[in-house]
Amino acid sequence: MAGALASWAAARLAGADRLRFAEVWAVPLLSFTPQVTAGAWASALLMRGAGPAAATAVAGAALTAAVGPRAVPKRQPRAMGPVLRVLTANLLFGRAVAEEVVELVGRKHADVLFVQELTDEAAAGLERAGLGDLLPHQVAQPTPHGTRGSIYARYPMRGGPLAAPVSAARCTAWLDLPSGQSVQLACIHAAPPKPPWSPDATARWRSQLSALPAPGDSPRILAGDFNATLDHAQFRRLLRRGYLDAASQAGDGLSPTWGPQRARRLALLTIDHVLIDRRSAVLTTSAHWLNGSDHRALYAELRLPGPSCAAGGLSRSARS
């Protein structure tokens, strides 16, 4: 047990999932690093031998150093722009209860809703539940059949692709705010690395995440189901390009958003995210149950940078 936990800590700290020969097993396993961290500390207390207990405690400390900062609120930049409230929800092939989604939009006064796994029937259900009255503007992924991504907004939007034609961004748009600023939005749904242990599935997941662009001059928000956690090197590489994970900035980075079964109050992994560039401030985040879905909806209240910062402040912020 001590050897296994020490090996896990070494694999996580070394970013073993960056290695092509190791990513097939490392990507699914490292998703559970927060649970293994808790198990390491429990094992350190229960083991009798001094040597194994000490090795396990060292592994627990190393893993805590990796996952612990997600539970600590960070100091936010002095953003002077408007407040934007965003919500992302994976509907599980349209099975989430439409009335609950719309009620959550109204209760949180959301300005933008990112939806993944939307079906025609689910879109009609959201409309009947009154989503159009709250968020009258919509841009949808051009998929005639099956599930798709969509963005609903309180303010006018202009559809437009991101730089990479093939990526995890299923739907993109420019949001025009009353302040005169424009914000780039991308609804994210990365292909999951499954079936587990499949080299093709893992490679597809990796390539879709790597194709996402870095922030530009205008504020950009990526939100949705990334099928990745902060324990994946590929996701951390995306953050290093200039993004921040909103939940981790607010100290909620360990709140799980996905569970293996729908309609069960059990969530295991944090794979839904709202990413912002480093000029924006995170005011609060929260996760919310959705009956019918195996995902929790993720809410984030953001303050955007002022117009002067949006024009040229990203490079300085990214370097700091």
Side-chain angles (χ1 to χ4, degrees), residues 78-81 181 216-219 277 279-280 304-317:
R78 296 183 60 186
M80 304 299 290
Q181 285 182 265
D217 291 336
S218 297
D277 68 51
R279 299 164 296 179
S280 301
L304 301 176
S308 59
C309 292
L314 179 61
S315 59
R316 294 188 298 271
S317 176

Side-chain angles (χ1 to χ4, degrees), residues 17 43 50 89 118 187 193 203 208-209 241 244 252 270 276 291 318:
D17 53 322
S43 299
L118 180 70
C187 181
Q208 288 190 358
L209 289 178
R241 300 187 70 185
L244 296 172
D252 295 328
T270 307
I276 59 173
N291 283 320

Side-chain angles (χ1 to χ4, degrees), residues 2 43-59:
S43 299
L45 295 175
L46 296 175
M47 285 185 176
R48 296 180 180 178
T56 304
V58 170

Side-chain angles (χ1 to χ4, degrees), residues 93-284:
F93 303 105
R95 297 172 186 167
V97 178
E99 290 76 12
E100 290 191 9
V101 176
V102 176
E103 187 275 335
L104 182 59
V105 169
R107 174 157 49 91
K108 305 303 290 187
H109 304 287
D111 301 306
V112 181
L113 171 66
F114 300 85
V115 176
Q116 303 88 53
E117 298 193 16
L118 180 70
T119 63
D120 292 337
E121 294 77 11
L126 292 173
E127 187 64 29
R128 288 193 299 271
L131 183 60
D133 297 331
L134 299 174
L135 306 177
H137 305 279
Q138 180 188 10
V139 172
Q141 181 183 3
T143 301
H145 304 289
T147 64
R148 59 186 181 274
S150 185
I151 305 173
Y152 296 85
R154 186 181 307 276
Y155 309 116
M157 289 189 295
R158 297 168 280 129
L162 291 174
V166 179
S167 72
R170 302 304 184 194
C171 181
T172 65
W174 282 92
L175 178 69
D176 296 323
L177 299 175
S179 64
Q181 285 182 265
S182 294
V183 182
Q184 284 187 290
L185 306 175
C187 181
I188 306 300
H189 193 191
K194 69 178 186 180
W197 330 122
S198 168
D200 291 340
T202 305
R204 181 175 62 249
W205 168 85
R206 171 173 34 82
S207 64
Q208 288 190 358
L209 289 178
S210 64
L212 292 171
D217 291 336
S218 297
R220 177 176 284 162
I221 299 172
L222 311 183
D225 177 6
F226 288 74
N227 273 305
T229 76
L230 280 161
D231 293 301
H232 290 127
Q234 187 62 56
F235 188 73
R236 296 195 301 276
R237 184 178 295 119
L238 175 63
L239 295 181
R240 287 196 296 270
R241 300 187 70 185
Y243 290 107
L244 296 172
D245 179 70
S248 294
Q249 289 293 301
D252 295 328
L254 291 177
S255 297
T257 63
W258 175 85
Q261 294 180 322
R262 64 189 180 99
R264 298 288 180 89
R265 299 282 168 153
L266 175 65
L268 296 176
L269 304 179
T270 307
I271 61 175
D272 300 89
H273 304 274
V274 173
L275 302 189
I276 59 173
D277 68 51
R278 298 179 182 181
R279 299 164 296 179
S280 301
V282 180
L283 303 182
T284 186

